[in-house]
Amino acid sequence: MKLEPKHLEKIDELLEQELKEARGDEELLVILRLEGKDVQSENNFVPNFKPADFPNRQAYRQALIELQKKRVKKAVGETIKELERLGLTITGGEMSETVIVRGEARQILSSLELAAVRRATLDRAIAINDAGKYLATILSQVIDTSSPQIQPKILKSASQYYQNYYKRYGRLKVLGMKQSVPLDYIYTAVQVLSHWELSNSVSIQDLEESLKTAKSGIFSSQKTETKEGIKVANTFPYLMVLGAPGGGKSTFLRKIGLEAFKGKQGKFEYECIPVFLELKRFRFDEINIEQLVVQEFNCCDFVDSQVLTKKLLEAGKLLILFDGLDEVPTKNLNAAVAKIQAFVHQYQKNRFIVSCRTAAYNQKFIKFENVEISEFTDKQIKQFIYNWFQSEEDIQADTARQCWELLQENEAAKELARTPLLLTFICLYYDEYQSFTNNRSELYKKALDILLDKWLAEKRVTRDPIFKDFTIAIEESLLAEIAYRGFQQDRLFFTRDELIQQIETNLKANVNTPENLDSKAVLKAIQVEQGILVERVRDAYAFSHLTLQEYLTAKYICDWQLIDELVSRHLIDTSWKEVFLLISGLLRPNADKLLLQMEKEAQKYINTPKLKALLEWAERETSGSPGDMKPVGKRAIANANAIAIANANTKAYAYVNAIAYAIANANPIAYAIAIAVAYAYAVAYAVANANANTNTYAIAITKAIKAIRELEKLQIFNNLNLTNLIGQLQDLKIVIPDDNQSQSVKRKFADELLQTLLNGFNLNLEMVGLSKEELKTWNNYFYANYLILQCKQAAVLVSQKTWAEIEDRMLRVMDN
């Protein structure tokens, strides 16, 4: 929420922070000091009666109290009424000008506008009181809290316990966020699936298909049933939560704890006090879990924490959240597992949840249900973004919608957003740049850096000793080679033995690599600590995000200067499109060489007289036309019209129109080319289909007439009489054969429609009589030019001279 200077001068630091971070609907308790103009200070207060006027001292004292109440009510009564009109609940204000108000953050902010409000201080979030009372209720089931002396102490300790939990685990501040945010604001319900089912029901073929067609490893929802994580936590008393680094495991455990504090208002269905234990603290041989629980209660001054902990455990009133089994140092892991297993067995009435990275888990826990956090679906990504951008400024600017829609246009960036960690990064990146498309290579580099180094450092997790010698630079070079070799072979999956062999070969080839590095240990470290290489099914590894493999492939090509090989082998391979775009952003000082090489290769596809003739026709008919549009855009539109007719003539359907649209769009004349595309397929279908019905022909001709009218306004063509063509199409519309007429009549009409269009655009059957092979080549040519345009936009720098020359030659026949 936005605070003005007039607000800031009235509030303390705690309330300032709370209001700045608030969305507006949070409930707060705030102490307000009001200004009563007619009320004298306590020292100058003189009553108009004396003690002798009353039968006893108690009566005199009560009279003073009633008098003070009247004076305060007269002074601040109107202010209190105004506070109540704002929707605030008022407590106090009878004996002094201080009141406690309870209400939403936006109501509190409005109260600061009142001139009579002099000072506002945050009391406590409402949840602290409610959670404290709820915990005290649970405690009363195991210890005697009936004594009037012990009740306030228990309530105070319980409230402090909740405050400690919320302070440590109820807010998130990661990846350099400027300020922490309440976890409840941005939490998006995670989905989990059976780890056993996932490991055994998905084949490598399923995974390959998923990654190649959907650009995502999000196969789980298609092959296995997902369930909401909190519902699963309610079902199983012992739960092992697995997932990738940054996949949301810790956040999920924190959220479970917060829900447990809410009692019947929360989603956790059991009366339990949550205890959150970070397993990275298990650094010593002697691990006493019960004592760690005692310490959690000790810091809140509970009466005899040792005895209290024992009673709670024996009564089954605790929810123990063991976070980060993978973060236990390797030398202590077996001992930690044994201790936890023994603790669970001893106090089995309680509920236990353990989290661990999938790659580090070896089925070590007995009786635990193993589930794995599923990657975010589009719905979850959208929900997270809308939760994230909820400040007053973001709501007014509609930031969430703009971010989501832009992400929809960038599949590679959205693929990164499948994990909460990188989705958080995506939101922070958009918040800073308001874009994903500008230098996408920088975006993916930062994402890779997070996985390689920053996330572990931020979590203060001790790295595997192997990373002492295995530097980030060496690792990145190794991963880049693995990514490139896989892409070259059109492979997204590798066996464990293949990866070990590649790692060993790479390490031996680098004289700067320490000799003592073991390739098996390197693979394990990369897999467990960073999750960049993931074992999707048994003995089948892939990069955690296809986008990262594409980025690393692009980096390898740039590092080893393999541009010529890339262009000659993969220019029209759509699976390499993202690699081309990333290389454009990586090249320094500019991307000129890449674009020129791509242009040279693209010209090779104009390899038949008919294809050359069509390009020459488009240039001839549009060159020098009065329309306010770049020549290349005019040529793109002309070719879109011609190829639509060619499609109809050959009864084949190509996607060159969509490419022509994209080329024009890049210039930018999207509307004009959309006109050509709008009727191209309708006409092509009607002409090519001899059995088309009356309605089909009518729709096609109507669209054609509308489109040609718009083309006429744009003045793209030189010598075409489009007005006459519109008249001829209108005449044809009148004589469309009805559905009862013979196929030969319909075919004759289709031929006449085709010939009318040919004549109208100065074309003939020979020019548009392309073979299927020529249509395919034509598609490749247009795609190559389209990719040139996209690479130009993705590049950091392209010289003006080079681009002007390329654009001038685009969609033209060049002698050399």
Side-chain angles (χ1 to χ4, degrees):
M1 295 172 65
K2 187 176 182 181
L3 301 182
E4 305 291 345
K6 61 184 177 182
H7 301 138
L8 295 173
E9 64 186 16
K10 292 185 177 183
I11 59 182
D12 67 352
E13 290 183 4
L14 289 176
L15 182 55
E16 177 184 341
Q17 180 183 353
E18 199 74 30
L19 291 177
K20 278 184 176 179
E21 297 176 359
R23 293 189 298 188
D25 58 352
E26 303 83 350
E27 272 201 292
L28 302 176
L29 282 179
V30 177
I31 301 170
L32 294 185
R33 304 189 191 283
L34 309 180
E35 185 148 18
K37 296 180 181 178
D38 299 329
V39 179
Q40 301 174 10
S41 69
E42 200 69 29
N43 293 333
N44 297 327
F45 172 54
V46 179
N48 56 2
F49 48 77
K50 299 177 181 178
D53 299 332
F54 296 88
N56 52 50
R57 184 174 181 82
Q58 184 177 357
Y60 173 67
R61 179 178 175 79
Q62 187 61 38
L64 288 175
I65 292 172
E66 294 300 322
L67 178 61
Q68 178 66 2
K69 283 184 180 181
K70 289 178 182 179
R71 293 171 64 84
V72 171
K73 184 176 181 181
K74 180 180 178 181
V76 300
E78 285 304 314
T79 302
I80 289 175
K81 287 180 181 178
E82 288 186 73
L83 292 171
E84 289 174 338
R85 281 195 288 269
L86 290 174
L88 294 164
T89 301
I90 314 298
T91 306
E94 294 181 332
M95 292 297 292
S96 71
E97 301 163 74
T98 299
V99 295
I100 298 175
V101 300
R102 173 178 180 147
E104 294 182 353
R106 61 172 65 92
Q107 296 168 330
I108 301 295
L109 187 63
S110 296
S111 74
L112 299 177
E113 302 281 345
L114 302 178
V117 173
R118 186 174 67 221
R119 186 73 180 159
T121 305
L122 181 70
D123 183 7
R124 288 179 294 181
I126 298 295
I128 295 176
N129 287 330
D130 295 340
K133 291 176 182 177
Y134 175 63
L135 294 190
T137 300
I138 296 176
L139 292 169
S140 68
Q141 298 175 30
V142 298
I143 59 174
D144 183 9
T145 59
S146 59
S147 168
Q149 289 77 26
I150 199 172
Q151 283 181 357
K153 183 174 179 60
I154 287 290
L155 182 58
K156 180 181 177 182
S157 296
S159 296
Q160 184 62 50
Y161 183 82
Y162 170 75
Q163 280 183 285
N164 286 358
Y165 185 98
Y166 185 81
K167 182 178 179 181
R168 291 157 67 186
Y169 310 119
R171 302 179 72 87
L172 290 179
K173 186 177 182 181
V174 297
L175 302 180
M177 291 166 59
K178 295 177 183 177
Q179 57 190 25
S180 63
V181 295
L183 186 148
D184 277 336
Y185 287 9
I186 63 172
Y187 180 78
T188 302
V190 301
Q191 298 291 315
V192 300
L193 44 95
S194 166
H195 179 64
W196 181 90
E197 187 179 357
L198 176 65
S199 301
N200 292 276
S201 67
V202 183
S203 68
I204 294 179
Q205 290 74 22
D206 291 330
L207 292 168
E208 283 277 4
E209 184 65 24
S210 175
L211 286 174
K212 288 180 179 178
T213 58
K215 288 181 67 65
S216 166
I218 187 166
F219 56 87
S220 56
S221 60
Q222 302 165 10
K223 295 294 178 180
T224 60
E225 181 185 359
T226 61
K227 299 176 182 178
E228 186 176 346
I230 291 181
K231 290 183 179 179
V232 173
N234 285 324
T235 304
F236 298 100
Y238 314 139
L239 191 65
M240 171 62 68
V241 179
L242 305 170
K249 303 180 296 298
S250 296
T251 303
F252 174 62
L253 263 62
R254 291 179 177 200
K255 176 64 175 176
I256 292 287
L258 290 175
E259 290 299 312
F261 278 112
K262 296 176 184 177
K264 292 181 179 180
Q265 283 70 47
K267 293 183 178 180
F268 191 70
E269 298 174 354
Y270 295 87
E271 278 193 350
C272 293
I273 299 176
V275 179
F276 198 97
L277 299 178
E278 294 176 292
L279 295 181
K280 64 185 176 184
R281 294 161 58 186
F282 286 22
R283 300 185 182 281
F284 310 104
D285 294 334
E286 288 300 318
I287 301 170
N288 189 326
I289 298 175
E290 187 169 332
Q291 199 57 41
L292 290 174
V293 177
V294 171
Q295 290 173 16
E296 294 296 312
F297 290 114
N298 243 344
C299 62
C300 303
D301 293 328
F302 277 101
V303 177
D304 200 345
S305 299
Q306 194 83 37
V307 174
L308 176 63
T309 300
K310 192 73 172 178
K311 288 184 175 181
L312 287 169
L313 284 168
E314 289 173 346
K317 290 299 179 181
L318 294 185
L319 166 64
I320 311 292
L321 304 165
F322 292 104
D323 184 46
L325 181 65
D326 53 277
E327 295 174 5
V328 176
T330 305
K331 64 177 183 177
N332 300 332
L333 182 58
N334 289 335
V337 170
K339 289 285 186 180
I340 294 172
Q341 196 78 64
F343 187 77
V344 171
H345 180 73
Q346 182 179 0
Y347 298 112
Q348 54 191 284
K349 290 183 181 180
N350 299 274
R351 301 186 76 86
F352 301 90
I353 304 178
V354 184
S355 74
C356 182
R357 293 183 179 183
T358 307
Y361 187 61
N362 294 314
Q363 308 289 337
K364 294 183 177 180
F365 281 79
I366 303 170
K367 294 184 180 181
F368 273 68
E369 178 70 15
N370 299 328
V371 297
E372 186 161 352
I373 292 182
S374 176
E375 294 175 318
F376 271 4
T377 62
D378 283 8
K379 182 179 179 181
Q380 288 171 296
I381 293 172
K382 182 178 181 180
Q383 185 62 59
F384 186 99
I385 290 172
Y386 274 77
N387 288 347
W388 184 278
F389 293 108
Q390 275 295 319
S391 70
E392 207 168 283
E393 295 84 349
D394 285 328
I395 291 173
Q396 290 176 358
D398 205 11
T399 307
R401 181 188 61 80
Q402 294 176 30
C403 176
W404 167 246
E405 290 182 355
L406 193 60
L407 195 62
Q408 290 290 86
E409 299 170 10
N410 192 325
E411 282 295 328
K414 190 168 78 171
E415 197 267 322
L416 285 179
R418 299 292 177 195
T419 57
L421 173 65
L422 294 184
L423 179 51
T424 300
F425 161 68
I426 290 288
C427 289
L428 289 168
Y429 189 94
Y430 183 80
D431 198 26
E432 183 174 357
Y433 298 104
Q434 299 294 298
S435 174
F436 301 122
T437 53
N438 296 340
N439 198 1
R440 62 217 293 143
S441 57
E442 178 190 355
L443 172 69
Y444 306 148
K445 183 183 185 306
K446 289 183 177 180
L448 183 64
D449 287 345
I450 288 169
L451 295 179
L452 285 175
D453 190 40
K454 291 182 181 177
W455 184 229
L456 281 177
E458 192 164 292
K459 292 188 74 178
R460 299 295 187 266
V461 175
T462 303
R463 295 173 65 85
D464 191 297
I466 197 170
F467 285 102
K468 179 182 177 182
D469 299 319
F470 188 56
T471 65
I472 296 299
I474 293 174
E475 180 182 4
E476 195 170 330
S477 175
L478 166 64
L479 291 170
E481 182 171 355
I482 293 172
Y484 175 75
R485 300 299 178 201
F487 243 80
Q488 278 288 74
Q489 300 169 25
D490 193 28
R491 291 181 58 193
L492 303 178
F493 283 86
F494 317 88
T495 68
R496 182 172 181 272
D497 289 343
E498 286 172 335
L499 284 175
I500 291 172
Q501 183 59 52
Q502 281 197 61
I503 292 171
E504 187 173 341
T505 302
N506 180 281
L507 296 179
K508 285 182 178 179
N510 185 352
V511 296
N512 290 327
T513 302
E515 295 180 1
N516 61 338
L517 285 180
D518 177 74
S519 54
K520 293 179 182 178
V522 168
L523 175 59
K524 186 67 175 178
I526 294 172
Q527 182 187 2
V528 172
E529 295 207 1
Q530 299 153 337
I532 295 174
L533 287 171
V534 179
E535 188 177 18
R536 294 292 190 181
V537 295
R538 189 174 299 279
D539 199 36
Y541 290 76
F543 282 87
S544 57
H545 299 80
L546 178 57
T547 296
L548 295 181
Q549 185 174 0
E550 289 168 333
Y551 170 77
L552 288 163
T553 298
K555 185 179 185 305
Y556 186 88
I557 290 169
C558 290
D559 289 346
W560 292 91
Q561 300 180 22
L562 301 175
I563 299 296
D564 290 351
E565 178 185 338
L566 169 74
V567 173
S568 64
R569 294 182 61 178
H570 303 294
L571 179 63
I572 60 170
D573 187 343
T574 56
S575 65
W576 283 74
K577 175 186 171 184
E578 191 66 27
V579 175
F580 273 91
L581 299 178
L582 290 167
I583 288 171
S584 302
L586 288 170
L587 287 173
R588 299 292 186 274
N590 58 51
D592 288 18
K593 180 183 176 182
L594 171 66
L595 299 179
L596 290 168
Q597 191 67 23
M598 291 171 71
E599 181 196 22
K600 182 180 178 182
E601 188 69 23
Q603 282 292 328
K604 295 179 182 179
Y605 293 103
I606 306 303
N607 56 6
T608 72
K610 285 186 180 180
L611 297 181
K612 291 180 180 178
L614 280 175
L615 287 182
E616 289 168 348
W617 165 83
E619 183 177 4
R620 181 173 63 250
E621 295 297 340
T622 62
S623 181
S625 61
D628 184 19
M629 191 180 296
K630 286 186 176 183
V632 66
K634 295 176 182 179
R635 295 194 291 272
I637 294 174
N639 278 294
N641 280 273
I643 205 64
I645 299 170
N647 284 339
N649 184 55
T650 57
K651 301 178 185 174
Y653 296 95
Y655 71 120
V656 67
N657 292 63
I659 302 300
Y661 168 84
I663 290 173
N665 183 41
N667 282 285
I669 50 172
Y671 179 63
I673 195 66
I675 293 166
V677 176
Y679 83 91
Y681 284 116
V683 172
Y685 178 78
V687 172
N689 187 354
N691 292 311
N693 59 34
T694 302
N695 192 49
T696 300
Y697 282 123
I699 291 172
I701 294 173
T702 299
K703 286 185 176 181
I705 291 171
K706 181 181 178 182
I708 294 167
R709 280 179 175 152
E710 295 297 333
L711 290 174
E712 190 174 31
K713 293 177 187 176
L714 293 169
Q715 299 179 302
I716 293 167
F717 295 100
N718 269 322
N719 305 312
L720 302 185
N721 190 339
L722 297 181
T723 302
N724 183 56
L725 176 58
I726 291 170
Q728 291 174 346
L729 290 171
Q730 288 172 332
D731 292 341
L732 281 174
K733 192 175 181 181
I734 297 171
V735 296
I736 295 174
D738 62 46
D739 294 341
N740 295 324
Q741 290 182 280
S742 66
Q743 184 173 341
S744 61
V745 172
K746 293 178 180 178
R747 182 69 268 168
K748 183 179 179 181
F749 180 83
D751 291 341
E752 189 175 354
L753 175 56
L754 175 60
Q755 192 60 53
T756 300
L757 289 169
L758 288 171
N759 294 340
F761 285 104
N762 284 343
L763 291 164
N764 58 56
L765 280 171
E766 184 178 356
M767 292 173 66
V768 298
L770 303 180
S771 66
K772 289 186 178 181
E773 188 61 36
E774 284 175 317
L775 277 174
K776 181 180 178 181
T777 302
W778 189 255
N779 287 337
N780 291 337
Y781 173 68
F782 264 77
Y783 174 78
N785 280 279
Y786 169 49
L787 188 57
I788 290 170
L789 284 165
Q790 289 203 310
C791 286
K792 177 258 183 183
Q793 292 171 332
V796 174
L797 178 63
V798 176
S799 71
Q800 193 171 24
K801 179 177 181 295
T802 297
W803 181 247
E805 291 172 350
I806 291 174
E807 193 173 58
D808 180 62
R809 294 188 294 261
M810 190 172 284
L811 304 185
R812 292 174 60 196
V813 179
M814 307 308 298
D815 294 334
N816 186 359

